[in-house]
């Protein structure tokens, strides 16, 4: 599998604009995106994590995340390039689609 390329220029700007509009926050220091997902209960939160885990494995790209009861905190960044790549965008879009 080819190493992902760090997003740059207009592609990066457009991606960050779309992600911000969808509720993701950009951490410029880490060049990562993060979002808090809140569900009705623990079962829904865990179901979300299960669906996201399946897609993460398919993409071979895994989130930093934590779960406390009905809340899931997610951070995405591609550690191989120390920043955002297309993999982060794809996984963020999949996660948003599950909610």
């Amino acid at each position: 599998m080819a190493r992902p390329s760090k997003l740059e220029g207009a592609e990066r700007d457009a991606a960050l604009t779309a992600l911000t509009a969808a509720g993701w926050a950009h951490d410029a220091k880490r060049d990562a995106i993060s979002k808090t997902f809140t569900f009705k209960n623990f079962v829904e939160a865990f179901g979300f994590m299960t669906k996201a885990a399946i897609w993460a494995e398919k993409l071979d790209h895994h989130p930093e995340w934590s779960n406390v009861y009905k809340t899931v905190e997610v951070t995405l960044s591609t550690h191989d390039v120390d920043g955002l790549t297309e993999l982060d965008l794809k996984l963020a879009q999949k996660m948003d689609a599950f909610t």
Side-chain angles (χ1 to χ4, degrees), residues 33-47:
I33 53 173
S34 61
K35 187 171 183 177
T36 301
F37 294 88
T38 305
F39 300 90
K40 290 181 187 173
N41 53 47
F42 175 75
V43 173
E44 284 189 14
F46 196 84

Side-chain angles (χ1 to χ4, degrees), residues 23-76:
W24 290 86
H26 180 238
D27 177 349
K29 191 172 187 178
R30 281 193 64 194
D31 197 22
I33 53 173
S34 61
K35 187 171 183 177
T36 301
F37 294 88
T38 305
F39 300 90
K40 290 181 187 173
N41 53 47
F42 175 75
V43 173
E44 284 189 14
F46 196 84
F48 164 82
M49 292 179 76
T50 301
K51 288 184 240 177
I54 290 167
W55 273 102
E57 193 64 20
K58 287 179 184 181
L59 293 170
D60 192 27
H61 188 60
H62 304 91
E64 297 174 27
W65 59 7
S66 65
N67 165 242
V68 177
Y69 181 49
K70 64 180 185 172
T71 303
V72 180
E73 301 269 348
V74 177
T75 299
L76 301 175

